Amino acid sequence: MYRKLLLFICVFPLAAMAQVLPTPKDFLGYEPGERFTPWHKVVQYFEVAARAYPNQVKVSAYGSTYEGRPLITAVLSAPEHMQRIDEIRANHLKTNGMLPGKPTRSNDPVVVWMSFNVHGNEASSTEVAIVMLYDILTGKHPQAAGWLKNTVLVMDPCLNPDGRDQYVHWFQRTMGKHPNPSMLARERFEPSPNGRSNHYYFDLNRDWAWQSQIETRSRLRLYNEWMPAIHVDFHEQYYNSPYYFAPAAEPLHDAISTFQRTFQEEIGRNHARYFDKNGWLYFTKEYFDLFYPAYGDTYPMFSGAIGMTYEQAGHSMGGLTIAWDGDTLTLSDRILHHYTTAMSTLEVASNQAEKIRTAYKNYFDEANTRGNGIYKTYIVEGRNSGKVATLKSLLFKNGIRYTVAGKKMQVKGYDYYDQAERTWQVQEHDLIISALQPKSALVRVLFEPHARLTDSLTYDITAWALPYAHGMQAIALKEVVQGVEEPQVQPVQMKLPENAYGYLIPYESLLQGRVLGQLLNKGIQVRFHETDFETNGKKYAKGTLIILRQPNRNKLQEIENILNRFNVAFDVMESGMMQKGADMGSDKVRTLKAPNVAILAGERAYENSLGELWHFFDEQLDYPVTLIRSDNPNQIELSGIDVLIVPSGNFKFLSEKEGNQKLTDWLSKGGKMIAIENAVSMMAEGNWQLKKKEGDKETPPPSNNDLPLYAERDRSYLKHFVQGAVYRVTLDHSHPMAYGFTKDYFTLLNNDNVYSFLNNGWNVGTIGSRGYISGMVGSEASGNIQQTLSLGAQPYGRGSVVYFAENPLYRGFWESGKLLLTNAVFFNW
């Protein structure tokens, strides 16, 4: 329905309103603030506005959500600007270097982008967008028309329509005839999974740089066609919190310019003027920092804008009204506060347009000629085609330019793997990412090996460098190295020789893992080699996929189609006798079966972890998976399940000493259970062989000088804290879970739960005494992380239990972890 909505929206009495924009109350049937507005009505109202004021606003669909709802923006400006809006946009991109050539004018209006309602249950800001649209277009706001003489306003009224509608519909079904302000009312307590996230339970406000979700990819495609000078991201926080607006808290990443820092303060002072006049409480420079790159304030910052988050009290608990401690907060209050900062932002942008234009141009002149940071070039190995394709796709989506070396050369720089300066032999297909480009700051933030943290009290993870996340060797150089444009190569349709003995697919990356899933799902017999071998004068590593012609003789066309769809190379095997290594009939060559995979998806599963798994199977592996709404596998039928994945969560059965007989019987008969992160922590408390590693029990009591101070209470926990740090994991490359890896794996730690080595099992991935790479790790936690288990496989009768101490799919961007999980699902041992 939603895909067709924009086409048919103006049927019925809307045609009669072509030149008249009804008030929100007349159109919706209620005043904004009296109810939450479903998304389809928001879209309708924006379309009606575009028909009523075609010379002042243009409404466009830029994509659709996973559930088919339209994603839209409204571009507003003065009529004289709207007549040449495409020229203004092009001039903007020419100014920052995203388009070649010089702008036709140097005094074009400043582009301001406002993003509303990225968290679906922080629902007030979409209502704000409706009110703003009406007030600006009709002149109800007396100054807005004048401000648009100097600005172009891009409004995205809801970044997460699926989450919003989930919350809005739940709230409408839950509340009574009248809003209930009581803290005990059921409309305070949204069930899980809630509307904060999107269809796959992803937090879209942590996805900007990674673009794992369709909503983010669609939005960033349009955002990078505008590259605004100011961006505001509207949020809500707990119902009893004062309003927050910029300037932001430390740590601020060093990549942020002086002007970006100081202009936040200028905007904040203007907001304060309005809030002071009305006697509203607010705070600045606390909690909300600018470090992690995938937020709706940091990503725009690292793309040259003044990026800001505005946080209003309310959240999902706020409902239409909420009362506590003698105070009452209504949806109308929330709308008014956000409306005030939105209009104040537009006012500052208009009044300071010349100052912003000058700073914007200077920022990008610096980026394009000198680059951001000490490193001017990043070189990433190009030999693994699957990994390279994934990285290039991410760079392209972020508007980051890259070239290839084109020839062999020798350079000296900081080696990510060795953690030291060394000489590197560059190969002709290696990727070269220059810091001298419009997205220079974003390049620095995504690639620099170690980011300086000015304050350990930060809101999110502190390490994410792409070479570690993607498992690729790389080097950072302080010199500029020129590459060449990558030659365009058209994929060649491959044919399977029908007289071959079989076909070999070297197993090197997630690309081959996806192919394996497709082959198995089509009923194609696939084998793998447990040891290294050699045939036809070529060496193959353990894990190489083998497709013999004879058992698959009726499915050669299907095999061919899959290989061509993924553009995966294969080699022809002429004989079952190997020149070196075990022959095809050896027990070292094992047959894989297509597993029936299920995920435990009850209320005790952490939504983000569950969603990452669901999305991975649906959108990346494209392999069937069953989500089971249960918190205890002992209460469900397990006989039809081969692999049971337990996401991070608080599953009581894992820690219980008794009551798991049905589960353990299933494991003993050949079942495989894969536990992730907090599920592993729960298992360490139960009757499983995994145990937590205890810290130093002989720590002496603190002296008088070391006693904690009350003023430092917000920081007292930091010495025990791990805030998203990267560690090196040494792999047992002989184990099937490590297939496709040639060196170490880099993992992302988000807590201080660490585990001793398995005494009866396979310690597939371990963190040694020098495992730390980058990120914030507390002094007490640091020593305990050494000599611990990261990835383990415990035999259980004919089955096994797999332990992922850290999340291999973290936020959908930890690419190299995806291969580990794929191996755990498909391979047997």
Side-chain angles (χ1 to χ4, degrees):
M1 178 183 94
Y2 288 99
R3 293 184 193 226
K4 300 177 181 178
L5 186 58
L6 289 173
L7 297 176
F8 299 104
I9 203 167
C10 295
V11 181
F12 88 105
L14 300 189
M17 304 178 191
Q19 300 305 317
V20 178
L21 178 61
T23 66
K25 179 180 180 180
D26 288 341
F27 185 86
L28 300 172
Y30 51 87
E31 286 283 4
E34 293 180 349
R35 296 180 66 179
F36 289 110
T37 306
W39 178 236
H40 72 278
K41 286 191 175 182
V42 179
V43 176
Q44 287 178 352
Y45 191 70
F46 270 70
E47 284 292 322
V48 170
R51 292 175 66 87
Y53 290 91
N55 63 335
Q56 290 179 248
V57 60
K58 179 181 180 182
V59 174
S60 304
Y62 65 84
S64 61
T65 69
Y66 284 111
E67 295 176 16
R69 293 177 176 87
L71 297 161
I72 67 169
T73 55
V75 178
L76 296 84
S77 195
E80 62 269 26
H81 298 326
M82 293 303 296
Q83 290 177 2
R84 47 183 295 271
I85 195 66
D86 290 336
E87 180 189 351
I88 290 172
R89 186 179 64 80
N91 282 344
H92 205 61
L93 295 179
K94 290 175 181 177
T95 298
N96 61 41
M98 296 290 281
L99 281 182
K102 294 183 177 181
T104 58
R105 300 186 190 183
S106 60
N107 62 343
D108 273 337
V110 170
V111 179
V112 179
W113 187 300
M114 295 187 181
S115 294
F116 301 92
N117 209 172
V118 65
H119 292 145
N121 58 10
E122 299 174 11
S124 68
S125 65
T126 292
E127 312 295 334
V128 176
I130 296 172
V131 178
M132 281 184 66
L133 184 70
Y134 178 80
D135 287 3
I136 291 173
L137 292 177
T138 63
K140 183 177 179 181
H141 191 290
Q143 295 171 284
W147 295 338
L148 290 181
K149 296 285 186 182
N150 297 319
T151 60
V152 171
L153 174 61
V154 183
M155 297 174 66
D156 189 335
C158 183
L159 279 63
N160 182 10
D162 290 350
R164 176 183 175 81
D165 266 2
Q166 178 176 329
Y167 172 74
V168 170
H169 295 320
W170 167 81
F171 188 86
Q172 293 299 108
R173 289 194 302 269
T174 303
M175 69 171 286
K177 182 178 180 181
H178 303 290
N180 190 333
S182 170
M183 287 294 296
L184 300 177
R186 67 173 183 167
E187 60 213 59
R188 300 278 87 82
F189 305 103
E190 187 184 4
S192 176
N194 60 48
R196 174 184 173 89
S197 52
N198 75 340
H199 174 78
Y200 283 112
Y201 312 151
F202 271 68
D203 186 333
L204 296 180
N205 191 42
R206 286 156 175 79
D207 190 48
W208 281 67
W210 320 128
Q211 300 191 46
S212 70
Q213 301 300 289
I214 193 171
E215 295 91 347
T216 314
R217 291 194 296 273
S218 301
R219 181 176 69 258
L220 266 295
R221 189 162 51 242
L222 182 63
Y223 184 94
N224 285 322
E225 292 175 0
W226 277 99
M227 292 283 283
I230 293 176
H231 179 269
V232 181
D233 194 22
F234 291 88
H235 285 263
E236 291 190 290
Q237 52 188 328
Y238 291 116
Y239 64 90
N240 57 353
S241 300
Y243 197 99
Y244 164 81
F245 50 74
E250 289 287 348
L252 274 70
H253 198 286
D254 287 342
I256 297 171
S257 73
T258 300
F259 177 77
Q260 288 174 313
R261 295 166 185 251
T262 58
F263 201 76
Q264 273 203 340
E265 296 178 5
E266 190 161 344
I267 293 175
R269 284 193 296 270
N270 202 59
H271 297 345
R273 184 165 59 87
Y274 288 105
F275 274 60
D276 291 343
K277 182 179 179 180
N278 287 282
W280 299 334
L281 290 176
Y282 60 92
F283 68 97
T284 65
K285 302 184 289 293
E286 293 183 271
Y287 301 116
F288 301 104
D289 60 67
L290 294 171
F291 196 71
Y292 172 71
Y295 284 128
D297 51 10
T298 52
Y299 184 92
M301 271 288 199
F302 301 142
S303 298
I306 311 299
M308 296 169 291
T309 289
Y310 297 164
E311 294 269 358
Q312 161 62 42
H315 212 264
S316 64
M317 288 189 71
L320 295 180
T321 180
I322 185 171
W324 77 99
D325 294 339
D327 202 357
T328 301
L329 176 70
T330 67
L331 177 57
S332 297
D333 295 331
R334 293 150 63 187
I335 293 171
L336 179 58
H337 298 160
H338 265 335
Y339 178 93
T340 301
T341 54
M343 287 300 193
S344 172
T345 303
L346 200 59
E347 177 185 20
V348 176
S350 176
N351 293 342
Q352 300 293 333
E354 183 56 37
K355 183 178 181 179
I356 296 169
R357 277 193 292 264
T358 300
Y360 186 86
K361 182 179 185 304
N362 291 341
Y363 177 95
F364 285 101
D365 286 348
E366 177 85 3
N368 288 312
T369 58
R370 297 184 59 185
N372 193 312
I374 62 171
Y375 295 117
K376 305 304 178 185
T377 308
Y378 302 90
I379 301 178
V380 183
E381 63 172 351
R383 62 180 178 81
N384 190 311
S385 60
K387 291 183 177 182
V388 169
T390 300
L391 180 60
K392 288 195 298 187
S393 174
L394 181 63
L395 298 178
F396 176 79
K397 287 182 288 192
N398 280 297
I400 293 174
R401 297 167 181 168
Y402 62 86
T403 56
V404 294
K407 62 179 180 180
K408 294 182 179 180
M409 65 182 91
Q410 201 171 74
V411 297
K412 187 174 183 180
Y414 185 87
D415 186 285
Y416 286 72
Y417 185 87
D418 291 342
Q419 293 276 288
E421 294 279 331
R422 77 171 182 89
T423 300
W424 224 57
Q425 184 66 43
V426 179
Q427 303 299 317
E428 59 183 283
H429 294 300
D430 288 351
L431 291 185
I432 295 180
I433 301 98
S434 172
L436 278 61
Q437 61 170 299
K439 289 295 189 87
S440 180
L442 187 61
V443 169
R444 172 186 175 178
V445 172
L446 295 182
F447 278 92
E448 67 181 346
H450 306 281
R452 188 176 74 93
L453 196 63
T454 59
D455 192 333
S456 298
L457 190 62
T458 181
Y459 202 68
D460 214 296
I461 65 172
T462 54
W464 51 78
L466 292 182
Y468 298 129
H470 286 244
M472 302 175 75
Q473 288 188 272
I475 192 166
L477 311 175
K478 295 180 181 178
E479 298 79 29
V480 175
V481 174
Q482 300 291 342
V484 298
E485 292 300 320
E486 186 177 29
Q488 297 298 313
V489 178
Q490 295 298 323
V492 177
Q493 292 296 301
M494 298 173 286
K495 298 289 292 182
L496 293 178
E498 294 185 4
N499 59 349
Y501 184 83
Y503 315 97
L504 301 173
I505 303 173
Y507 196 78
E508 299 175 336
S509 69
L510 180 62
L511 177 63
Q512 285 77 28
R514 294 169 66 196
V515 168
L516 172 59
Q518 294 299 299
L519 292 169
L520 293 176
N521 195 37
K522 292 293 185 181
I524 294 161
Q525 188 190 93
V526 183
R527 305 180 185 211
F528 71 96
H529 212 299
E530 281 192 334
T531 62
D532 298 340
F533 65 99
E534 182 177 334
T535 185
N536 293 339
K538 184 175 178 179
K539 295 179 180 179
Y540 295 86
K542 57 185 69 69
T544 295
L545 303 182
I546 301 164
I547 304 173
L548 298 182
R549 181 181 58 82
Q550 182 61 23
N552 295 295
R553 58 189 179 280
N554 296 324
K555 296 186 177 182
L556 294 183
Q557 187 60 56
E558 281 190 279
I559 298 170
E560 193 174 279
N561 292 341
I562 291 171
L563 297 181
N564 279 314
R565 176 151 58 93
F566 287 92
N567 194 29
V568 168
F570 65 89
D571 293 325
V572 175
M573 184 167 49
E574 297 175 351
S575 170
M577 179 178 288
M578 301 297 99
Q579 292 170 315
K580 292 182 180 179
D583 297 328
M584 288 297 108
S586 168
D587 61 4
K588 297 293 189 296
V589 178
R590 304 179 63 181
T591 302
L592 294 170
K593 61 168 286 189
N596 293 319
V597 182
I599 302 173
L600 212 58
E603 292 184 359
R604 290 185 173 273
Y606 294 163
E607 288 180 24
N608 293 146
S609 179
L610 172 59
E612 288 158 0
L613 288 162
W614 182 20
H615 177 265
F616 180 62
F617 277 90
D618 262 14
E619 297 292 325
Q620 293 194 277
L621 287 185
D622 192 19
Y623 189 86
V625 64
T626 301
L627 274 64
I628 302 175
R629 194 162 185 81
S630 173
D631 290 316
N632 191 338
N634 294 286
Q635 299 172 357
I636 60 178
E637 179 54 55
L638 295 171
S639 61
I641 300 171
D642 300 306
V643 177
L644 177 66
I645 304 178
V646 185
S648 189
N650 187 28
F651 296 98
K652 287 186 176 180
F653 78 92
L654 293 172
S655 59
E656 291 173 342
K657 305 296 184 181
E658 298 178 351
N660 284 321
Q661 188 64 48
K662 186 173 182 179
L663 175 62
T664 54
D665 286 348
W666 172 77
L667 287 168
S668 297
K669 294 175 183 177
K672 182 191 295 181
M673 183 171 72
I674 301 173
I676 295 175
E677 206 168 32
N678 202 62
V680 176
S681 179
M682 299 287 289
M683 295 182 77
E685 300 173 12
N687 275 343
W688 310 91
Q689 294 188 18
L690 182 75
K691 299 300 175 188
K692 284 189 177 180
K693 179 187 176 186
E694 300 297 332
D696 186 359
K697 297 181 180 179
E698 303 300 324
T699 303
S703 66
N704 287 347
N705 294 331
D706 295 329
L707 292 174
L709 299 175
Y710 178 75
E712 296 295 317
R713 61 193 182 279
D714 289 341
R715 299 174 178 275
S716 60
Y717 69 93
L718 289 177
K719 62 182 179 180
H720 303 285
F721 207 58
V722 180
Q723 190 80 345
V726 175
Y727 273 75
R728 183 194 306 272
V729 175
T730 302
L731 293 175
D732 172 3
H733 292 283
S734 68
H735 195 280
M737 275 202 290
Y739 289 166
F741 289 85
T742 56
K743 291 196 173 183
D744 296 340
Y745 167 67
F746 295 94
T747 191
L748 187 68
L749 267 72
N750 277 292
N751 57 62
D752 62 347
N753 292 327
V754 291
Y755 309 94
S756 299
F757 298 143
L758 296 173
N759 291 322
N760 180 25
W762 309 113
N763 297 285
V764 182
T766 58
I767 297 174
S769 58
R770 301 181 66 183
Y772 172 78
I773 299 294
S774 64
M776 186 270 166
V777 180
S779 57
E780 296 286 332
S782 179
N784 201 38
I785 293 174
Q786 301 176 17
Q787 304 299 331
T788 55
L789 178 74
S790 175
L791 176 63
Q794 172 193 327
Y796 207 107
R798 288 184 299 156
S800 62
V801 177
V802 176
Y803 303 109
F804 279 93
E806 301 87 43
N807 183 357
L809 303 180
Y810 188 76
R811 292 182 182 167
F813 83 88
W814 207 257
E815 290 295 330
S816 57
K818 296 174 183 178
L819 180 59
L820 287 175
L821 181 62
T822 301
N823 292 349
V825 170
F826 290 133
F827 286 98
N828 45 47
W829 47 84

